[in-house]
């Protein structure tokens, strides 16, 4: 019983940690400061944790990693959908009379 309670508490906290980032990225549509590589690794890790949870038959691992996968996957999709911003090219300065 204690391992399940600990797993549930850890899952709630881990999953909840993604909610503010998802809300901010969704509302503002800005993901420049978010690392695409980090979220690719995170999505991969959650996918593996889900498989591991199925192999162990651990409901907290399956449920909370699935929820975290959905949230982190949402951030990754928002990141991938955002067009790349190019640095503005320097404008030539007009010649000064002098």
């Amino acid at each position: 019983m204690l391992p399940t309670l600990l797993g549930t508490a850890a899952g709630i906290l881990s999953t909840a940690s993604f909610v503010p980032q998802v809300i901010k990225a969704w509302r503002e549509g800005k993901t420049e400061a978010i690392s695409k590589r980090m979220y690719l690794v995170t999505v991969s890790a959650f996918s593996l944790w889900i498989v591991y949870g199925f192999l162990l038959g651990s409901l907290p691992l399956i449920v909370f990693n699935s929820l975290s996968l959905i949230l982190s996957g949402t951030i990754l999709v928002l990141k991938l959908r955002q067009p790349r911003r190019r640095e503005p090219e320097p404008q030539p300065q007009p010649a000064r009379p002098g």
Side-chain angles (χ1 to χ4, degrees), residues 7-8 10-12 14-16 18-19 22 42-55 57-75:
T8 301
I12 289 169
S14 296
T15 302
F18 284 96
V19 173
V22 171
T42 301
V43 165
S44 300
F46 285 132
S47 299
L48 293 173
W49 276 113
I50 293 166
V51 172
Y52 182 65
F54 274 111
L55 293 174
S58 173
L59 194 57
L61 277 176
I62 297 166
V63 169
F64 291 111
N65 282 293
S66 295
L67 292 172
S68 294
L69 176 63
I70 291 167
L71 292 169
S72 61
T74 299
I75 294 169

Side-chain angles (χ1 to χ4, degrees), residues 2-94:
L2 182 59
T4 301
L5 289 175
L6 287 173
T8 301
I12 289 169
L13 294 173
S14 296
T15 302
S17 71
F18 284 96
V19 173
Q21 187 72 62
V22 171
I23 291 170
K24 182 174 179 159
W26 190 277
R27 283 184 182 163
E28 296 177 7
K30 296 178 185 176
T31 59
E32 296 91 8
I34 296 174
S35 169
K36 178 172 51 173
R37 287 186 186 134
M38 184 268 212
Y39 274 91
L40 286 168
V41 171
T42 301
V43 165
S44 300
F46 285 132
S47 299
L48 293 173
W49 276 113
I50 293 166
V51 172
Y52 182 65
F54 274 111
L55 293 174
L56 292 180
S58 173
L59 194 57
L61 277 176
I62 297 166
V63 169
F64 291 111
N65 282 293
S66 295
L67 292 172
S68 294
L69 176 63
I70 291 167
L71 292 169
S72 61
T74 299
I75 294 169
L76 181 60
V77 167
L78 291 171
K79 175 69 177 176
L80 294 173
R81 288 182 54 195
Q82 182 177 348
R84 291 186 99 177
R85 293 179 61 189
R86 292 185 179 186
E87 293 295 320
E89 294 191 22
Q91 299 295 320
Q93 298 295 324

